[in-house]
Amino acid sequence: MINEIKEKIKKILENKYGINLNVEEPKDLKMGDLAVPVFPIVKIKRCPLPEVAKEVGNYIIDNVKEVKKVNIIGGFVNLVLSKEEMSKEILIKILNDGSNYGTNKINGEVVCLDYSSPNIAKSFSIGHLRSTIIGNSLKLIYQKLGYKTIAINYLGDWGTQFGKMIVAYLKWGDKEKIAKDPINEMTNLYVKFHEEAKLNPELDEEARQAFRKCELGDKEYLALWSYIREESLKESKQIYDLLGVTFDSYNGEAFYNDKMDGIVNELEEKKLTEIDNKALIVRFKNNMPPALIKRSDGGSLYITRDLAALFYRKNEYKFNKILYVVGNEQKLHFEQIKEIVRMLGYDFADNIYHIGFGLYLTNGKKMSTRQGGVVKLYDVLMKAIDLAKLEIDNKNKELENKEEVAKKVGIASVLFNDLKNQRELDIEFDLNSCVKFEGNTGPYLLYSGVRIASILKNKEYNLEFNLDLFNKDIYYEIVRLLANFPTILNKAMEDNAPSHIAKYLLNLCATFNKFYAQEKINAEDELVRNTNFALINAIRIVLNEGLRLLGISYVDEM
Ligand code: ARG
């Protein structure tokens, strides 16, 4: 809001005096909300400072209706803004725009987002939940701000782990058991492989060879691969349905099996590779460890497939930016990719972003899917929903469609518990505390929304306000927060940090709850009442839209 007025003032002064002035926000707000330095104009006009300051002040007052008062102090014209005018403008804007408030026009730019990307053949683990949640929210934020997004689920459906699966399947697999419960059985087999390989390291070599056979197109192995992939995908899709997450492409690593020659040849032609122990590697000038591009047996690696995928996407989607939402532990991998792109001479290296994130911890320790301690994400989500149901039972036994509401509340708990944190950090994952209706939780936000919905139920309002109210601190505090929403969205996009939105919503709800405790909403005076309802409506619009951008659906009752 302030920014728009700043721009307005800059523009009228530029038109009048032909110079671009720096309209500032004074450190001491007692002086005013904005300050215009007039020395540059004095220089041009060659008139005494007081005269110029007076002229500038009057000119602004006459032309910018949001400016209420001018204080001239030294070389500055300090401006006091009218809370009434500002509030009226912003409220009318939000109420008219509705959920489009803060939405930018389509800007023609394309952003590819690579997220979720679970490893097929293993159960969809809680480890991939963060990527799914953060990636989905970023997609929604970029869309809101005018970008075309391409959501890519780069399935880990290729690589040595498939060799491991195949070896385990052939050695210990019980076909009947597997047919009954494919994913569980395969997860068990995978765990068993790791246990056995500790005792018998030759198994790892066997797995490499099995995968090599897949790469070379062995029919029997590929049929097995395809079966495992299909079954795993079914499980992942159940989870995506629960979370309401969608993708534009499921092209995973396997898709690039026959698309790697181009990039490998280019690396060789540009003389960026070396042979090391029969393997093909790229060395870097800085002290990054070299990247292995081809194994001594000719097999490809994770980074080889990622490079092929990157160039394929560049070609296919003509992206302006690509975001890889992948855990912090793969930082080096993405630095290597960026550096290779740079060495190849492409400046889009600068448009490649690794959006890293920390781990989920339970009691300070990493949650893991390998070697026992298996945590299945689907079960975790179901448990969150069950816990939400218990909470609802305690608070509102008579609630209709409890199942539906519990599902939304449970999912919101998990989503918000993740997104409220700065993504780079590790997060303690404790379902019991994140489904609570009190505290900085998803259900707390939903509950504030429910309170709002019940206040507004069957209430009409119009755009006639008692503007005097906005001189009260609590009213103006809310208006300022609401006005700041678009700025927060842009910050969230710039930092690729949905947590800015999450924290903002907590603040908005806390301020609303303070307002609710402090003011009589259903006031006797008609104009006051109407102003209150309009203000609360605007809060509802921003809250629901903010939640949507985090991937959370609001509820009207809970
Ligand atoms: N499947 C990988 C893993 O679980 C993540 C893939 C991330 N995306 C990428 N383009 N490398 O570790």
Side-chain angles (χ1 to χ4, degrees), residues 114-120 122 128 131 154-157 161 253 302 306 309 313 324-327 329-330 333-334 337:
D114 176 319
Y115 62 98
S116 194
S117 312
N119 295 326
I120 296 290
K122 292 191 227 167
H128 289 100
S131 172
Y154 184 62
L155 296 175
D157 58 0
Q161 85 265 25
E253 295 184 41
Y302 182 47
D306 241 334
R313 292 164 182 177
Y324 292 94
V325 187
V326 188
E329 64 282 2
Q330 294 194 26
H333 172 74
F334 290 102
I337 289 182

Side-chain angles (χ1 to χ4, degrees), residues 451 455 511-521 536:
R451 180 172 277 170
I455 295 172
T511 313
F512 160 72
N513 284 316
K514 192 163 91 184
F515 176 70
Y516 179 75
Q518 189 172 313
E519 299 291 323
K520 186 162 191 295
I521 309 293
I536 293 176

Side-chain angles (χ1 to χ4, degrees), residues 384 388 408-418 431 434-436 442-443:
K408 287 186 179 170
V409 175
I411 297 296
S413 311
V414 175
L415 295 183
F416 194 76
N417 176 59
D418 189 307
L431 273 186
C434 63
V435 299
K436 287 272 174 293

Side-chain angles (χ1 to χ4, degrees), residues 37-214:
V38 285
F39 283 118
I41 304 178
V42 172
K43 267 197 213 145
I44 297 176
K45 291 205 51 157
R46 296 167 183 280
C47 290
L49 177 87
E51 205 175 292
V52 174
K54 209 168 156 204
E55 182 186 289
V56 171
N58 286 339
Y59 188 67
I60 293 175
I61 280 265
D62 291 344
N63 289 284
V64 184
K65 64 174 188 302
E66 293 89 347
V67 175
K68 191 177 178 176
K69 220 176 115 207
V70 186
N71 297 320
I72 296 170
I73 302 170
F76 287 90
V77 172
N78 292 283
L79 309 170
V80 178
L81 299 178
S82 151
K83 292 180 178 164
E84 295 95 324
E85 277 305 321
M86 307 251 292
S87 303
K88 182 173 150 191
E89 254 175 53
I90 200 75
L91 273 190
I92 291 179
K93 178 157 182 54
I94 296 172
L95 296 170
N96 282 337
D97 287 0
S99 61
N100 283 324
Y101 173 56
T103 305
N104 286 354
K105 283 207 202 71
I106 294 189
N107 63 16
E109 295 205 2
V110 177
V111 180
C112 281
L113 299 105
D114 176 319
Y115 62 98
S116 194
S117 312
N119 295 326
I120 296 290
K122 292 191 227 167
S123 185
F124 191 115
S125 79
I126 196 137
H128 289 100
L129 176 64
R130 294 212 69 189
S131 172
T132 310
I133 294 175
I134 297 169
N136 182 56
S137 176
L138 288 175
K139 171 176 94 169
L140 298 170
I141 294 168
Y142 275 92
Q143 284 175 348
K144 171 111 182 145
L145 296 181
Y147 291 81
K148 177 175 175 183
T149 59
I150 311 283
I152 305 172
N153 193 342
Y154 184 62
L155 296 175
D157 58 0
W158 210 234
T160 330
Q161 85 265 25
F162 261 96
K164 292 180 186 171
M165 262 324 298
I166 288 171
V167 169
Y169 182 94
L170 295 175
K171 276 199 187 329
W172 312 298
D174 175 337
K175 287 212 173 73
E176 261 172 47
K177 259 183 158 174
I178 294 174
K180 263 193 219 133
D181 187 2
I183 294 308
N184 260 335
E185 269 316 298
M186 284 189 283
T187 310
N188 292 341
L189 282 175
Y190 197 73
V191 171
K192 185 170 166 84
F193 182 93
H194 277 272
E195 279 164 4
E196 297 279 333
K198 262 192 238 156
L199 308 173
N200 178 8
E202 273 159 37
L203 280 175
D204 281 322
E205 186 46 40
E206 257 183 72
R208 251 192 300 282
Q209 281 167 18
F211 174 58
R212 190 70 193 125
K213 275 173 93 171
C214 287

Side-chain angles (χ1 to χ4, degrees), residues 452-471:
I452 290 176
S454 86
I455 295 172
L456 296 177
K457 203 165 179 185
N458 304 324
K459 299 285 193 319
E460 304 271 317
Y461 70 92
N462 57 39
L463 300 181
E464 296 295 319
F465 309 130
N466 176 339
L467 291 181
D468 239 2
L469 289 173
F470 295 104
N471 290 310

